[in-house]
Amino acid sequence: MSQSLHDLYNEIVAMKIDLEEHLNNHELSPQVKQMAEEELSDLIATIEKIETGHYGVCEETGHPIPVEFLTFQPTVRSLSEMKTLLKYLKKPVFPF
C-alpha cells in the first residue's frame, strides 16, 4: 500500500469511528440520521475496498476511477456516480 493510500485509509477509519460515536451518542433527526448512516456505509465500503485491493475500481464496469476524482471524493463507487457528481458541481447554485 502506497503512503498516500495508507494515509487516506487512516483518515477514513478515523472518520468512520467519529461518525459511529456521533450516531451512538447524539440524538439526531430522522433525516440527519439517515444521511449519517448512508455516509457510514460509504466509509465502510471504502475501507473494505482498500483492504482488499479493489479501491479505485468502478463497481459497475471494473474500469479505474480517475485518481484526481478519488482525491476529491474518496468514497465514490462508480464512474456513473462520478459523472453525476461532476454534472452537479458544474452548475451554479444561483444562476446569473
Side-chain angles (χ1 to χ4, degrees), residues 42 69 75-86:
D42 287 344
F69 195 81
T75 59
V76 71
R77 294 176 176 230
S78 67
L79 292 169
S80 63
E81 181 182 2
M82 180 190 81
K83 289 176 185 174
T84 299
L85 290 169
L86 287 173

Side-chain angles (χ1 to χ4, degrees), residues 25-92:
N25 298 323
H26 295 85
E27 201 168 308
L28 305 172
S29 71
Q31 296 86 1
V32 171
K33 185 175 182 177
Q34 180 183 353
M35 289 172 45
E37 288 171 342
E38 290 171 3
E39 182 65 21
L40 180 59
S41 175
D42 287 344
L43 293 171
I44 291 168
T46 301
I47 290 167
E48 290 173 358
K49 286 181 177 186
I50 293 172
E51 291 175 346
T52 62
H54 294 100
Y55 181 68
V57 177
C58 175
E59 291 180 357
E60 297 168 355
T61 66
H63 292 105
I65 297 170
V67 173
E68 298 83 11
F69 195 81
L70 290 169
T71 302
F72 171 73
Q73 181 63 38
T75 59
V76 71
R77 294 176 176 230
S78 67
L79 292 169
S80 63
E81 181 182 2
M82 180 190 81
K83 289 176 185 174
T84 299
L85 290 169
L86 287 173
K87 175 181 162 187
Y88 287 104
L89 290 173
K90 290 181 182 179
K91 292 189 177 186

